[in-house]
Amino acid sequence: MGVEQKLGNMGVVTTTLENVVNWSRTNAMWPMLFGLACCAIEMMSAQAAHYDMSRFGMELMRASPRQSDLMIVAGRVSKKMGPVLRRLYDQMPEPKWVIAMGDCASCGGVFNNYAIYQGVDEVVPVDVYVAGCPPRPEALIHGVLTLHEKVKGIKFADMAAESK
Amino acid sequence: MDWTIWLEWFLKGLILCLILLTGFAYLTLYERRALARIQIRVGPNRAGPQGLLQPIADAVKLIFKEELTPGKVYRVVFLLAPVLTVVPSLILAAVIPLGTSFTLFGREITLYVADLNVGVLYLTSIASIAVYGIVLAGWSSNNKYAMLGGIRSSAQMISYELSLGLCFVIAIIMGNSMNLNEIVNAQKDVWFAVIQPAGALVFLIVTLAEVNRAPFDMPEAEQELTAGYHAEYSGMKFALFFMAEYQKMIVISMIAATLFFGGYREFWFMTDWFGGIFSVDRFWFLGPIYLMLKVVVLLFFMIWVRATWPRIRYDRLMAFGWKVLLPLSLILAFITAVGILLTDLLGNPLIIWGVPVLSIICALVAVAFIYRDLRRKSHGRV
Amino acid sequence: MVPVDYYIALSAILFIIGALGVLSRRNPLIIFMSIELMLNAANLAFVAFARAHNTFSGQIFVFFVIAVAAAEVAVGLALIVEIFKAKKNIDIDEMNSLKG
Amino acid sequence: MAQLEEVTIDQYKHLVSERALTGETMLLNMGPQHPSTHGVLRLLLELDGEVVVNCVPDIGFLHTGVEKNMEAKTYQKAEVMTDRLDYMNTMGNNLAYVMAVEKLVDLDVPPRAQALRVILVELQRIASHLVWLGTSGLDLAAMSMFLFCFREREQILDIFELVSGQRMMTTYIRPGGVWRDVPVEFETAVRDFIKIFPKRIDEYEKLLTKNPLFVDRMVDIGYLSKETALSYGVTGPTLRASGVNWDLRKARPYCGYEQYDFEVPVLHEGDTYARYLVRIEELRQSLRIVEQALNKLPMGPVRSDNRKFVPPPRSEIGVSMEALIHHFKLWTEGFQAPKASIYSAIESPRGELGVLLEGDGGPKPMRVHMRTPSFDNLAVLPEIVKGTLVADLVAILASIDIVLGDIDR
Amino acid sequence: MNSDLIVFLVLSLVAIATALGMLFSRNAVYSALFLVLNFVTVAIFYLLLGAPFIAMSQITVYAGAIMVLFLFVIMLLGAENLAPTSDLPWQKPLARLLSVILVVETIYLLFSRARTDLVVTAPDASLNTMESLREMAMELFSSYLLPFEITSILLLVAMVGAIVLSRREKGEK
Amino acid sequence: MEKSLEPIVKNLQDKFGATYEEFRDEVHCFVKPEQIVDALITLRDEHRFELLSAQTAVDYYPQTSPRFHVIYQLTSLAQNLSVQLRVPVNGDNPKVPTAANVYKTAVWRERELLDMFGIEFEGHPDPRRILMPEDADGHPLRKDYPLGYEEPQFTFNFDEIDLRKPYAKE
């Protein structure tokens, strides 16, 4: 676990530190270089010139899960891929977040059948769902910003309690 | 010894480390912004004004990130490897002169940490042990990709060390000294890059290999080995590798500037302009500024190469090192030595200009060989 | 003010450790390393004497030794790699035939 | 890394050499999460140092059950599944499926719709090749290439959005024509693209084609002979780079391709560089087709008026009871297709995209088989990577331009 | 006890410890690392002995090139832990016996011929290294020219030998 | 039927007693399982059908004999012709000799058919599943295999489905 779990509640100090840490986490959220299907192409578009996620400090896509903070599940997750996805998630260090990008990752989308997990939340816990098939890059960026809002509200005390 | 000397050394060392650390932090931003500009993007601009706080955000985030130590690693070496990578990159800068000297509290304070008489040798030896961190990181991670990265790194380092050493030799011959300060002062009249342009170019290419930058970023080749030697590292341990890479970039640019581009000195033809107000001999504080400008330009060169060139293949990299750069730098060293010797013997200062001409010819021949090697049986559009 | 004998003693100790390595270990790579250690021990003695007698000959010898050691390592490691490829094993006892 | 479990050699005993069993060569698991496998492909590599001795692709990580799912939908509704197969070539997938349906039920398509289909499919081909060019640049670490290519691709996606309201999954081409007529801005948008794109291709070529490092990475790598290619069923640019002049647009023209003047680039070297050159040339040729089709674009309806198969336009529904009934019937029940089987194929950016459609007399297909080109193109990979380096493997994989959605279906 | 002696003793302890570490490590990589440390220590001895050029060459060549090559080969062959195949029963005792003899011999030699008059002083700060380097170079290229040339030929032969050894025949898999 | 296809179909009829159907200019020839390899070799070598464009199967469940048709779609680049071979296979223990030695592409295509329909190909060099996980049960494209349909969540049944749905934990 990170440092913050070891800190108790130290009043103003913790609050300020919380703010700083959460701010840094939102601004340096490195996604994992990981695409599954159609949405991955839109994720690439979001990285490219028109939408440019690098503005948020997100162009450092890490190929190794050990170094990434955010997993964007871009596309449908098949029954064969599920265990792999979970393994990758488990390999990421805390704190980590998951965005289920697109309908397939959120709820199975149009593929309501034997081969596809009906939502990636059956495999890994999801923080933000982005709708669309595939979602436009703007939608993905909106999802990321929503996640930023969520991250900004993290309290160390909660994390410490969670890790116990 | 006087305690003030110790204090001076300590303070200078501390300041140098701080410079390198901030330099590293802002180099990452510089690179990301410059890459973004080349790639018609904007680059990080949300953290602070124009993204100026981006490095701080990265650093704080990494500090507060969980540190994973995978179960099957060789623990001691795994923990040691990032440190072994960072330390050489920090102590490498100790012998580089940042400027002339100034007087403070009645003491003459020189702008370098250590005035080593064998400064150049010190650089080669520290640069040569800098590879251990990467190799050991690759080996200790117990990961096949990391292992391949480590193996590649060691092989690459051995192949390029020799050309690097020979480039140092060129500078030593021209400066007639192994002391970096004297080498800089020897460039008062003309930069060595002008006398030996091919040598400077070879040096720049070799430095790219030395700091594992694209197109020679074999050990971490993302598309081949995912993250290479640091695949299993997370949090601050990973940040240390990051730090080492960028600090090495800065330091090696400083070395390049010092050896071939006049170090902290101004352009040689600027010395007498406006009564010498651009000269470091007149104002000591211009030295670090000039050096910094040169470093920024050289770093941009590295970033530019990364943005445009594909990665070279691993075996071709070795072949390039052994078959092209090594003979070329040997010949260049030879040409330089003969040129200087003839100038001294015949006493005609014009003979020295034979060196740049001959060396450029050699470089062109080398380039021609490369192109000949690339020819295919036949191709054309049908 | 260190008596040169101390250096010689240190050199001797290192040399003996190296010799022990050559005699007792069976991994050819470690035997090789032990040989390097012995060479180093000798080098140390050379430099110490050179310093004591104020001459450069010792340093020049060391220079030669380093150059020769580099050559030796290049050939030796190439041999080990080749033997490994041929025999799938680098135990020193297995290298008892001249055939590949 | 992305190793799910320790690779058990027993399972692959018959696929790797004996040396792997003694531990002399190394088994490396590449993927399913790996930056250069273009999605979720897993390659089990047997390496001797860095030389690939054997390569065993493991696919199915994106297996979606599209064919099964399409059997459960009516002919019209099944079309949305086709978009998501080869997600680089959504228009082309629509076209292939729609053509199969039209052939099965014998439905005619008005000429304007045909021309629009050609324009859009060719634009899609350009977009697909751009993604290929960008990602294969990325695989060789020429990272700027990726961003330059995506810049132009955005322009094409804007055109798609203009006509269909969606950037990627357009489902714009429908049985009997297209969904609706294109808006007036369409022509200027396409003309703008036609105007700037040739310059952009020159830019790409300037960055790569003569770049010594790039040439070094591509030339004489991954040689694929004509015979091997045919035996493995390789099609598309990969086949044409091996010296076989086979392009369905020329050989069996559909959608009026015979009216347009274009060339099929064919090279005989069969290496990655040839595949690169062929695709680059295809960019130019596709642009030619788009330009001609746009110039010739006839006026008229964009949908067949056979109301048994094609829903009436929205304007009619409000005024005509008959139209309302047709509309209702079509969208609830679908149309009936004969109990027969047909196979129709188009030239997708990756090769022959065939659809085997079998009706059972009812409103739902009995069997839809998508003959996807990437599947066969990937099958040839183990054959051509033997003896190359890992870095070459990346280049070769990029050069055969696979899309995992296309393979796993 | 002067400060030089203290430094010497500490460093020699390190040198001996790392040498022993090299000898007793089961893992060849650790052996190599201990040896690198040992080489660095020896390089510091050279610095103390006023031979900075040799010290730097020591680090560059031994630590920077030779040991990296060792690590490369160890990693390439996966030879970190070699399980002993067959044990030669007489090898270990014999090795111990021989080394004991060697130790006794050395101690005897050291004490029988000990001379404490020959001392090594700390390097002179006033001594210009560049000057000493020049002198050394002069000597190298005059008195020792023949050995120098022979060494260079040896290096060349070694290089060719290494290339020939590791070259693959055409068509060989 | 195209003129140039006629002798080819004739040859198949003579050699293998093949019957054929025609629909919208497409020719489907029916061949017995044991003759399919020979038929493919004949087509490839005598009539220059270089490309096995597609190989797939259709399940006519609940009809059981024949339950499956294994389909070989062949293309001749030289003559610009297509012909389809169909091999009817019975539902119990479906077996067809492998075409992997005639067309290499059949290696993967037959693995797919094994995976999706459970049709065994005798003499196949690598009979493993290809798309589904190794430990999967059943053959999805068979008609008796359920689609695996999962009920969509609406407001009226949200809670009920929410209870059943397996959510992942940290």
Side-chain angles (χ1 to χ4, degrees):
Chain A
M1 292 291 128
V3 187
E4 67 270 27
Q5 279 88 341
K6 298 187 180 80
L7 298 167
N9 191 355
M10 299 199 297
V12 163
V13 182
T14 345
T15 329
T16 323
L17 193 63
E18 254 168 24
N19 288 339
V20 172
V21 171
N22 289 341
W23 168 84
S24 73
R25 279 178 180 155
T26 57
N27 275 302
M29 199 176 266
W30 297 350
M32 183 154 68
L33 190 55
F34 180 54
L36 288 165
C38 337
C39 295
I41 310 297
E42 285 298 70
M43 188 168 76
M44 281 153 77
S45 290
Q47 291 282 346
H50 270 60
Y51 303 99
D52 193 16
M53 288 223 287
S54 72
R55 289 174 294 150
F56 309 99
M58 289 181 74
E59 86 271 41
L60 291 178
M61 285 217 156
R62 306 308 312 178
S64 166
R66 303 262 187 230
Q67 296 147 13
S68 38
D69 311 294
L70 170 65
M71 181 192 238
I72 301 178
V73 184
R76 46 202 188 244
V77 182
S78 71
K79 293 269 154 76
K80 196 170 177 178
M81 192 66 198
V84 182
L85 189 83
R86 180 72 206 194
R87 166 71 73 96
L88 287 171
Y89 178 79
D90 289 340
Q91 279 176 339
M92 288 165 64
E94 293 281 348
K96 51 191 169 187
W97 296 280
V98 177
I99 289 183
M101 180 184 178
D103 290 347
C104 305
S106 303
C107 63
V110 292
F111 302 110
N112 196 349
N113 62 23
Y114 65 94
I116 295 293
Y117 279 104
Q118 297 302 306
V120 72
D121 46 15
E122 293 180 11
V123 186
V124 292
V126 177
D127 293 283
V128 172
Y129 298 87
V130 181
C133 187
R136 297 179 58 91
E138 290 101 323
L140 177 61
I141 291 174
H142 180 242
V144 169
L145 292 179
T146 314
L147 182 61
H148 285 182
E149 289 306 312
K150 177 175 176 174
V151 170
K152 277 180 187 152
I154 291 177
K155 296 268 179 288
F156 285 177
D158 301 345
M159 283 189 100
E162 224 172 75
S163 67
K164 262 166 208 161
Chain B
M1 270 196 232
D2 199 353
W3 64 272
T4 47
I5 294 182
W6 290 99
L7 183 68
E8 189 192 324
W9 278 354
F10 175 73
L11 283 179
K12 281 200 286 197
L14 193 70
I15 291 170
L16 190 67
C17 283
L18 283 178
I19 291 175
L20 284 178
L21 282 175
T22 34
F24 143 69
Y26 280 91
L27 176 57
T28 58
L29 183 66
Y30 175 45
E31 177 177 33
R32 286 162 79 174
R33 292 295 295 236
L35 274 182
R37 294 309 297 172
I38 294 173
Q39 295 163 348
I40 45 166
R41 293 184 291 130
V42 184
N45 66 353
R46 292 298 163 109
Q50 286 300 307
L52 279 178
L53 297 180
Q54 184 68 42
I56 295 166
D58 286 336
V60 174
K61 183 209 83 175
L62 281 169
I63 289 168
F64 281 87
K65 190 92 180 155
E66 182 187 4
E67 297 269 338
L68 285 174
T69 309
K72 286 182 181 171
V73 298
Y74 296 88
R75 223 184 148 79
V76 180
V77 182
F78 186 78
L79 298 179
L80 202 64
V83 183
L84 275 181
T85 323
V86 169
V87 170
S89 73
L90 278 174
I91 61 175
L92 202 55
V95 291
I96 299 170
L98 303 179
T100 50
S101 58
F102 62 96
T103 315
L104 191 69
F105 307 127
R107 293 178 57 89
E108 193 190 9
I109 297 189
T110 48
L111 286 176
Y112 41 78
V113 178
D115 182 23
L116 211 58
N117 270 323
V118 285
V120 177
L121 281 179
Y122 172 83
L123 291 181
T124 49
S125 55
I126 300 297
S128 68
I129 58 170
V131 66
Y132 277 103
I134 293 176
V135 175
L136 292 177
W139 172 75
S140 65
S141 293
N142 201 359
N143 176 316
K144 286 170 182 171
Y145 287 110
M147 174 87 148
L148 282 176
I151 291 180
R152 281 178 166 199
S153 177
S154 52
Q156 176 179 345
M157 203 56 81
I158 293 171
S159 333
Y160 279 78
E161 203 108 273
L162 291 168
S163 310
L164 186 74
L166 284 168
C167 288
F168 279 131
V169 167
I170 293 174
I172 292 171
I173 294 173
M174 287 193 289
N176 198 17
S177 170
M178 285 200 189
N179 184 320
L180 287 166
N181 214 1
E182 286 174 28
I183 289 182
V184 171
N185 278 324
Q187 302 182 57
K188 201 170 182 177
D189 299 325
V190 64
W191 290 359
F192 289 165
V194 179
I195 300 180
Q196 188 49 281
L201 194 67
V202 171
F203 186 80
L204 290 180
I205 295 172
V206 174
T207 52
L208 283 179
E210 195 73 17
V211 297
N212 297 329
R213 287 287 297 181
F216 303 112
D217 52 346
M218 292 298 126
E220 48 190 318
E222 199 164 78
Q223 285 75 19
E224 291 150 31
L225 305 179
T226 58
Y229 64 92
H230 57 61
E232 293 286 357
Y233 283 89
S234 55
M236 270 321 274
K237 288 202 275 294
F238 163 66
L240 286 182
F241 282 116
F242 218 58
M243 192 161 121
E245 188 187 326
Y246 283 80
Q247 277 171 1
K248 264 197 246 166
M249 273 170 74
I250 297 175
V251 172
I252 214 113
S253 304
M254 280 171 149
I255 295 172
T258 305
L259 291 184
F260 287 99
F261 298 95
Y264 56 79
R265 296 207 71 88
E266 69 285 348
F267 277 101
W268 67 94
F269 49 79
M270 276 165 59
T271 313
D272 297 328
W273 283 8
F274 305 107
I277 58 164
F278 291 117
S279 167
V280 286
D281 299 332
R282 180 113 170 239
F283 299 110
W284 64 270
F285 56 84
L286 286 176
I289 296 175
Y290 284 140
L291 187 64
M292 198 185 106
L293 287 178
K294 286 171 190 175
V295 166
V296 166
V297 171
L298 286 171
L299 287 175
F300 182 74
F301 162 80
M302 287 188 180
I303 294 167
W304 192 8
V305 167
R306 179 178 171 194
T308 40
W309 282 59
R311 183 181 297 116
I312 190 170
R313 208 175 68 197
Y314 170 64
D315 63 324
R316 308 290 294 189
L317 169 92
M318 309 281 286
F320 184 60
W322 287 108
K323 291 182 186 167
V324 180
L325 285 183
L326 182 60
L328 182 64
S329 46
L330 252 177
I331 292 170
L332 291 178
F334 179 72
I335 291 174
T336 318
V338 170
I340 285 171
L341 196 67
L342 285 181
T343 320
D344 282 355
L345 282 181
L346 303 178
N348 186 347
L350 285 179
I351 290 177
I352 197 74
W353 295 106
V355 174
V357 174
L358 277 176
S359 54
I360 287 176
I361 291 173
C362 285
L364 289 179
V365 169
V367 171
F369 268 109
I370 295 171
Y371 270 99
R372 204 195 58 169
D373 203 39
L374 288 179
R375 261 191 327 200
R376 192 163 63 170
K377 300 147 281 182
S378 63
H379 67 262
R381 286 183 190 160
V382 179
Chain C
M1 294 290 278
V2 183
V4 81
D5 279 8
Y6 288 19
Y7 276 101
I8 307 309
L10 174 64
S11 159
I13 292 169
L14 291 181
F15 190 87
I16 289 166
I17 294 174
L20 200 59
V22 173
L23 290 173
S24 65
R25 296 299 298 263
R26 311 169 56 133
N27 186 333
L29 287 162
I30 292 186
I31 290 174
F32 226 138
M33 288 186 216
S34 303
I35 293 172
E36 296 300 322
L37 184 65
M38 287 156 77
L39 288 176
N40 250 275
N43 285 353
L44 188 60
F46 271 132
V47 176
F49 276 125
R51 175 75 190 156
H53 291 291
N54 245 331
T55 146
F56 285 109
S57 303
Q59 291 192 28
I60 288 170
F61 280 138
V62 173
F63 179 79
F64 284 136
V65 169
I66 290 179
V68 172
E72 169 219 348
V73 166
V75 177
L77 289 181
L79 272 174
I80 288 178
V81 171
E82 281 309 298
I83 290 171
F84 181 80
K85 278 192 178 150
K87 295 216 164 193
K88 330 273 184 266
N89 192 338
I90 51 170
D91 196 313
I92 197 83
D93 297 332
E94 303 282 318
M95 299 180 194
N96 48 13
S97 70
L98 283 173
K99 283 190 294 182
Chain D
M1 281 315 310
Q3 286 153 322
L4 187 56
E5 62 237 20
E6 286 301 309
V7 177
T8 48
I9 298 181
D10 289 349
Q11 199 182 338
Y12 299 101
K13 221 172 198 160
H14 56 296
L15 297 170
V16 294
S17 73
E18 274 172 30
R19 297 196 297 159
L21 306 179
T22 62
E24 193 195 336
T25 51
M26 177 168 80
L27 285 182
L28 182 72
N29 201 357
M30 192 166 163
Q33 187 258 340
H34 187 281
S36 56
T37 48
H38 291 240
V40 283
L41 170 66
R42 173 174 164 226
L43 295 173
L44 183 69
L45 302 179
E46 185 191 345
L47 299 179
D48 181 7
E50 285 211 18
V51 180
V52 180
V53 181
N54 263 313
C55 165
V56 184
D58 183 7
I59 60 174
F61 288 97
L62 200 57
H63 176 60
T64 318
V66 167
E67 290 174 7
K68 179 90 176 171
N69 226 347
M70 281 165 91
E71 289 170 12
K73 291 179 183 290
T74 61
Y75 287 100
Q76 283 162 313
K77 289 179 183 169
E79 195 193 334
V80 294
M81 313 298 270
T82 63
D83 281 309
R84 287 145 183 91
L85 281 173
D86 177 354
Y87 36 83
M88 305 288 192
N89 181 33
T90 55
M91 287 281 187
N93 294 343
N94 289 163
L95 180 64
Y97 174 74
V98 161
M99 274 172 53
V101 174
E102 283 160 1
K103 193 170 170 187
L104 187 67
V105 300
D106 202 13
L107 191 62
D108 286 331
V109 182
R112 182 172 171 84
Q114 298 277 33
L116 281 175
R117 284 177 177 188
V118 168
I119 294 175
L120 290 170
V121 168
E122 290 305 317
L123 283 176
Q124 182 77 68
R125 186 186 314 276
I126 293 174
S128 168
H129 281 354
L130 281 177
V131 173
W132 158 78
L133 186 59
T135 50
S136 58
L138 204 59
D139 284 347
L140 303 177
M143 57 193 294
S144 299
M145 211 49 223
F146 166 73
L147 291 135
F148 295 155
C149 290
F150 266 68
R151 173 184 56 186
E152 272 70 67
R153 185 173 174 274
E154 279 303 319
Q155 225 172 337
I156 296 177
L157 292 191
D158 284 347
I159 295 173
F160 288 172
E161 195 177 2
L162 197 65
V163 298
S164 74
Q166 243 278 30
R167 283 157 54 87
M168 283 174 73
M169 306 307 168
T170 52
T171 323
Y172 179 67
I173 297 168
R174 302 275 172 93
V178 296
W179 171 46
R180 61 171 189 190
D181 206 348
V182 291
V184 280
E185 302 93 338
F186 173 74
E187 194 176 334
T188 34
V190 179
R191 289 226 186 272
D192 282 350
F193 181 72
I194 293 171
K195 212 167 97 191
I196 64 155
F197 194 59
K199 273 179 266 168
R200 302 286 195 220
I201 303 177
D202 294 342
E203 256 180 59
Y204 307 149
E205 288 219 76
K206 218 179 277 171
L207 208 54
L208 292 181
T209 307
K210 293 284 173 197
N211 184 328
L213 282 186
F214 183 76
V215 175
D216 186 36
R217 289 294 299 273
M218 303 292 265
V219 163
D220 289 342
I221 303 294
Y223 171 70
L224 175 62
S225 75
K226 198 171 171 175
E227 290 73 29
T228 320
L230 284 173
S231 173
Y232 273 97
V234 172
T235 45
T238 314
L239 181 66
R240 291 195 282 276
S242 292
V244 182
N245 188 351
W246 178 252
D247 188 324
L248 288 171
R249 290 174 296 173
K250 278 272 188 222
R252 297 169 185 178
Y254 50 89
C255 289
Y257 265 109
E258 65 278 2
Q259 310 163 29
Y260 310 116
D261 177 30
F262 66 100
E263 276 153 31
V264 179
V266 177
L267 286 179
H268 295 270
E269 284 83 2
D271 58 2
T272 45
Y273 194 56
R275 294 194 270 276
Y276 162 81
L277 290 177
V278 163
R279 287 208 179 86
I280 287 280
E281 187 56 30
E282 278 191 10
L283 285 177
R284 297 184 203 279
Q285 296 300 336
S286 290
L287 201 66
R288 272 178 75 188
I289 299 175
V290 171
E291 192 169 9
Q292 293 172 45
L294 194 64
N295 289 338
K296 283 187 198 167
L297 186 63
M299 296 309 285
V302 292
R303 268 196 286 195
S304 157
D305 51 5
N306 188 340
R307 291 279 173 263
K308 287 277 169 273
F309 302 107
V310 181
R314 199 151 267 291
S315 55
E316 261 178 52
I317 297 174
V319 291
S320 153
M321 190 64 199
E322 200 188 5
L324 189 61
I325 292 168
H326 280 307
H327 186 265
F328 182 75
K329 284 271 279 183
L330 274 173
W331 290 117
T332 49
E333 204 175 275
F335 51 77
Q336 321 252 305
K339 185 172 162 53
S341 163
I342 58 100
Y343 177 86
S344 96
I346 66 156
E347 183 75 18
S348 94
R350 266 156 281 281
E352 177 179 342
L353 173 62
V355 179
L356 187 128
L357 193 60
E358 184 145 345
D360 59 354
K364 291 179 182 175
M366 169 94 182
R367 169 96 173 98
V368 191
H369 172 67
M370 306 291 286
R371 186 266 181 217
T372 46
S374 299
F375 188 87
D376 299 292
N377 291 2
L378 178 68
V380 82
L381 181 77
E383 198 83 356
I384 58 178
V385 296
K386 272 178 198 161
T388 59
L389 295 170
V390 179
D392 292 335
L393 170 86
V394 172
I396 295 168
L397 195 60
S399 79
I400 57 175
D401 189 18
I402 51 163
V403 170
L404 264 296
D406 203 24
I407 293 168
D408 294 342
R409 301 187 297 278
Chain E
M1 278 286 233
N2 52 31
S3 60
D4 283 1
L5 199 57
I6 296 171
V7 171
F8 172 82
L9 287 178
V10 171
L11 280 177
S12 17
L13 275 183
V14 174
I16 293 168
T18 50
L20 288 174
M22 190 278 294
L23 183 57
F24 290 116
S25 292
R26 285 294 110 191
N27 193 319
V29 173
Y30 288 133
S31 284
L33 289 182
F34 277 122
L35 197 58
V36 172
L37 264 184
N38 184 279
F39 287 163
V40 172
T41 327
V42 172
I44 297 172
F45 276 124
Y46 293 164
L47 276 180
L48 291 178
L49 289 169
F53 177 75
I54 294 295
M56 292 302 162
S57 315
Q58 163 94 1
I59 292 181
T60 314
V61 177
Y62 268 113
I66 292 184
M67 291 320 289
V68 174
L69 209 57
F70 265 105
L71 272 182
F72 177 76
V73 170
I74 293 171
M75 285 162 71
L76 192 72
L77 301 185
E80 296 103 325
N81 299 302
L82 281 182
T85 41
S86 60
D87 218 26
L88 298 178
W90 44 266
Q91 193 194 20
K92 281 262 164 72
L94 189 70
R96 286 197 195 109
L97 183 71
L98 283 174
S99 47
V100 166
I101 292 172
L102 200 58
V103 171
V104 170
E105 198 179 310
T106 328
I107 292 172
Y108 171 74
L109 272 178
L110 273 176
F111 281 94
S112 65
R113 308 178 51 185
R115 17 185 318 201
T116 39
D117 53 327
L118 204 59
V119 292
V120 174
T121 46
D124 223 344
S126 62
L127 191 80
N128 191 336
T129 334
M130 206 59 208
E131 281 309 307
S132 74
L133 255 181
R134 192 157 285 139
E135 277 172 44
M136 186 180 147
M138 282 311 218
E139 199 155 333
L140 182 62
F141 290 113
S142 53
S143 322
Y144 294 94
L145 186 62
L146 185 66
F148 181 82
E149 291 299 332
I150 291 174
T151 312
S152 65
I153 291 172
L154 180 76
L155 273 176
L156 186 68
V157 170
M159 204 162 94
V160 172
I163 292 170
V164 168
L165 273 175
S166 50
R167 201 186 63 173
R168 285 173 187 208
E169 295 295 321
K170 275 229 166 81
E172 188 189 336
K173 253 283 164 179
Chain F
M1 199 194 305
E2 277 187 56
K3 277 267 165 5
S4 44
L5 208 54
E6 274 164 16
I8 296 168
V9 175
K10 186 93 181 20
N11 192 3
L12 283 178
Q13 275 175 319
D14 294 347
K15 259 192 174 166
F16 307 105
T19 53
Y20 75 94
E21 278 177 5
E22 221 187 318
F23 180 72
R24 300 214 206 289
D25 290 341
E26 275 187 40
V27 180
H28 303 168
C29 295
F30 289 84
V31 184
K32 291 191 198 69
E34 54 273 21
Q35 287 175 328
I36 178 66
V37 176
D38 289 330
L40 287 174
I41 290 176
T42 310
L43 282 175
R44 185 189 68 178
D45 294 342
E46 289 175 27
H47 302 293
R48 291 192 291 163
F49 280 85
E50 306 98 327
L51 201 61
L52 177 61
S53 279
Q55 184 183 7
T56 184
V58 184
D59 182 8
Y60 292 104
Y61 186 80
Q63 176 187 327
T64 51
S65 65
R67 178 170 170 179
F68 301 106
H69 280 180
V70 179
I71 299 172
Y72 300 78
Q73 177 78 27
L74 295 159
T75 311
S76 163
L77 310 190
Q79 308 159 79
N80 196 4
L81 285 177
S82 280
V83 70
Q84 197 176 81
L85 297 189
R86 287 186 164 231
V87 179
V89 190
N90 284 348
D92 51 322
N93 194 15
K95 272 190 181 151
V96 182
T98 177
N101 300 323
V102 191
Y103 295 103
K104 290 270 183 58
T105 178
V107 178
W108 274 33
R109 290 283 175 196
E110 283 171 2
R111 276 178 69 191
E112 191 195 340
L113 292 183
L114 170 71
D115 193 357
M116 292 286 131
F117 289 93
I119 301 172
E120 272 182 51
F121 287 89
E122 289 163 324
H124 191 277
D126 182 21
R128 285 182 299 138
R129 277 182 182 271
I130 187 164
L131 292 176
M132 300 289 283
E134 300 271 346
D135 53 354
D137 290 326
H139 305 284
L141 280 181
R142 287 189 174 192
K143 288 280 179 191
D144 50 355
Y145 189 91
L147 179 59
Y149 183 74
E150 204 170 284
E151 223 176 317
Q153 287 180 331
F154 291 110
T155 42
F156 68 89
N157 63 0
F158 188 90
D159 295 330
E160 183 193 334
I161 289 179
D162 210 33
L163 276 179
R164 263 187 289 143
K165 196 166 156 87
Y167 287 112
K169 301 284 177 319
E170 272 292 334

